[in-house]
Every structure is written in structure tokens, then in C-alpha cells.
Amino acid sequence: MHNITNQNGNMQNFTAQELLALSYENMNQEIGRWSHERATGEIERWEFWARAAQLPPHGSWRLWLVLAGRGFGKTRMGAEWVRARALENGEVRIAMVGATLAEARAVMVEGESGLLNLQGGEGLIWEPSLHRIIWPNGAIATLFSAARPDSLRGSQHHFAWADEIAKWDKGIAAWDNLMLGLRLGDAPRVVATTTPRPVALIRRLVGEAENRANQVEITRGRTRDNHQNLPGSFLAAMDLAYAGTRTGRQELDGELIEDIAGALWNRDLIERRRVAVVPEMRR
């Protein structure tokens, strides 16, 4: 949020969302007080445009887990967070982990909301053959594939961005290798962005947050929270097709749905009946 002068001559904080909530006349009056330099600076600042839920939580968290519906703006959140860490720290090492290298490149780097397409580019050097991005200040972000957990062995990082962790085929192994290498600097941190699914890794991380373990903070959100940046026709079609369904609750509302209503076998029952050694079986 940034200071601008209100009609009484006092300083008042506004973001883009708060400006849009003003009347057309008041919004024009406020913006009319800005210098050209300030206006140019504002439109290039993520903190000005972002919704409150898209900004990092306060406190000494180690993991920021973003569980939100499709179109919420998760990729932009992750890319902006990586960019901020690179610019403010210099010569840091950042891991960017996708389900595969191809997905990491297509979404996290080259996608519409990926690092290469953020406003106010800083002269990034993208080296596809080496799977890395280099900033002029020496910060380096390297891509990894969650499908190859061992590729994370031996690497050390200050920060990490893990994308769509609910679809990682080898989620637990990839996550553990990532966390074991997150050991550089005084306060290493990781952001995980995903549409939730009831897979083992998601259940584990949500459980850690509920038990206040490992300094986990969770942000939840729905597709419709980003309605100002999504076509109205898309939102209407999604509501018509999926409102009230299991798919809609998971993919649009970002709910973590553990069991199908009326199922004979639920996950709690299955987990309670797990055994360390499988007994001899006979048909």
C-alpha cells in the first residue's frame, strides 16, 4: 500500500483495489495528484496491484502454502515472490520446482504470468539449456522437475517456489529433497502454489499447519476472487457447469475435499488400518 493525499490534506494509503472501490470522481481526483514519475512507478509495483491475499503473510513463516482455485492468480504470486527475493537479496540461489521441467518452463518462466513476463524487467538472462534464470545482481533461479526427486539432491538454496504440488507424481520424495536443500541464509523460505487435491503431500502440509509445525502459513482462495481479471463469460460458464459439484468445490473454490459424500471407505478409515508389514495373503 502506498501513501497519497486525501481531500482533507492528510496522507492515506491506497492500493489499486481500493482506488477502484472509490467513486469515479474521487478516484480521478486522487490519481490526478500523482506526478508522472509516481504514476509510472505505481503501475510497475506488484504490491500496488495485488489483492491482499496475494501478498506474503507476516511473521517468521518457513512455508507459505497457497491453496486456491484455478485462475486465482497463484502463478503471478509465485513469480512475483521469487522476483522480490532475487532483487532484494542479491546472489541468492532459488529453486523453482514444477511437476516436470517442461511445465516449469512453460508456466513458471515463459507463461503469461511467469518470470519473463512480469512488468519492469530487470535484464534477466534466461538460459533454457541450463534450466536457469540469472539476474544482473547475481541471483540465480534454477528449474527442477518433481518427477525426478533425486535431481534436487546436493543442491542448496535460500528460497524455493514449488508449483502445483498436488499433481506431483512423486510428491513426498520431491518435497523432502527440496526441503533438505533449503538451508542457505538466515531464513530460508518456500512458497507452494497449487489447486488442492487430497494427496498425501497436501494432507501432510495442511496437518503441519494445523499443528503449528514447521512454521506453515496457508492462504486459501477461489477463482471468483480474481473476477476483475477474468472474463465474465468464463465465470458464468464455470458456475453453470460446476457450481455445487465436487469438481467446482475443488477446482474453482479451492476446497480440500477429503472424501466423496456417502463413500463406504473414507481416508481416515484407510489410514487407521495401514500396517507396516503386509501379512501373508491367501485368496
Side-chain angles (χ1 to χ4, degrees):
M1 301 177 70
H2 311 290
N3 290 325
I4 58 180
T5 306
N6 64 17
Q7 295 178 351
N8 298 321
N10 300 317
M11 298 303 290
Q12 187 170 351
N13 292 325
F14 281 101
T15 64
Q17 300 296 316
E18 292 166 332
L19 282 174
L20 290 172
L22 298 175
S23 68
Y24 183 76
E25 179 181 0
N26 288 340
M27 181 174 64
N28 278 341
Q29 287 178 351
E30 296 294 352
I31 295 176
R33 295 186 175 98
W34 296 4
S35 66
H36 174 74
E37 291 76 15
R38 176 173 186 174
T40 301
E42 289 297 296
I43 65 175
E44 294 183 352
R45 292 176 63 89
W46 167 239
E47 294 80 4
F48 175 70
W49 292 107
R51 304 187 305 276
Q54 290 181 296
L55 297 175
H58 299 292
S60 58
W61 53 270
R62 180 177 174 83
L63 164 62
W64 179 21
L65 178 61
V66 181
L67 302 176
R70 298 192 190 186
F72 176 80
K74 300 185 294 295
T75 302
R76 181 69 183 274
M77 295 166 66
E80 292 283 1
W81 185 82
V82 166
R83 173 195 183 190
R85 302 293 76 73
L87 292 180
E88 72 185 16
N89 292 280
E91 297 190 359
V92 293
R93 299 297 177 262
I94 305 170
M96 294 173 52
V97 189
T100 65
L101 277 176
E103 288 192 25
R105 173 175 176 173
V107 176
M108 304 170 81
V109 177
E110 298 176 347
E112 183 178 348
S113 299
L115 274 169
L116 295 184
N117 290 311
L118 299 183
Q119 289 180 322
E122 298 85 20
L124 299 182
I125 299 174
W126 167 224
E127 299 179 333
S129 62
L130 298 176
H131 315 301
R132 71 182 184 186
I133 293 176
I134 302 176
W135 278 262
N137 65 3
I140 298 176
T142 304
L143 303 187
F144 293 91
S145 169
R148 297 178 56 205
D150 283 348
S151 67
L152 286 157
R153 286 183 176 274
S155 299
Q156 299 183 88
H157 302 97
H158 297 83
F159 305 105
W161 171 24
D163 189 47
E164 291 298 345
I165 62 174
K167 62 184 291 188
W168 290 6
D169 288 336
K170 301 177 181 178
I172 295 292
W175 183 263
D176 287 342
N177 278 330
L178 173 63
M179 297 304 288
L180 287 168
L182 198 65
R183 55 179 183 260
L184 295 182
D186 296 329
R189 287 181 163 184
V190 56
V191 170
T193 52
T194 192
T195 298
R197 292 168 54 194
V199 297
L201 177 56
I202 298 296
R203 295 198 303 272
R204 175 175 133 183
L205 298 181
V206 170
E208 289 178 358
E210 292 173 348
N211 295 328
R212 300 188 179 279
N214 292 343
Q215 299 174 298
V216 182
E217 293 287 345
I218 297 182
T219 291
R220 302 179 187 271
R222 306 176 304 153
T223 300
R224 187 165 285 279
D225 294 342
N226 196 26
H227 66 92
Q228 291 177 328
N229 297 306
L230 296 171
S233 58
F234 166 77
L235 293 172
M238 293 301 99
D239 285 343
L240 182 63
Y242 303 112
T245 68
R246 179 183 175 88
T247 297
R249 290 170 57 198
Q250 176 176 283
E251 302 297 323
L252 301 178
D253 295 336
E255 288 188 38
L256 179 59
I257 304 174
E258 288 286 355
D259 296 301
I260 298 175
L264 292 176
W265 314 103
N266 58 50
R267 293 187 180 276
D268 285 340
L269 176 61
I270 292 172
E271 293 298 330
R272 290 199 304 270
R273 295 294 182 254
R274 288 192 187 278
V275 294
V277 179
V278 178
E280 183 180 351
M281 306 292 288
R282 292 187 301 171
R283 181 177 291 278

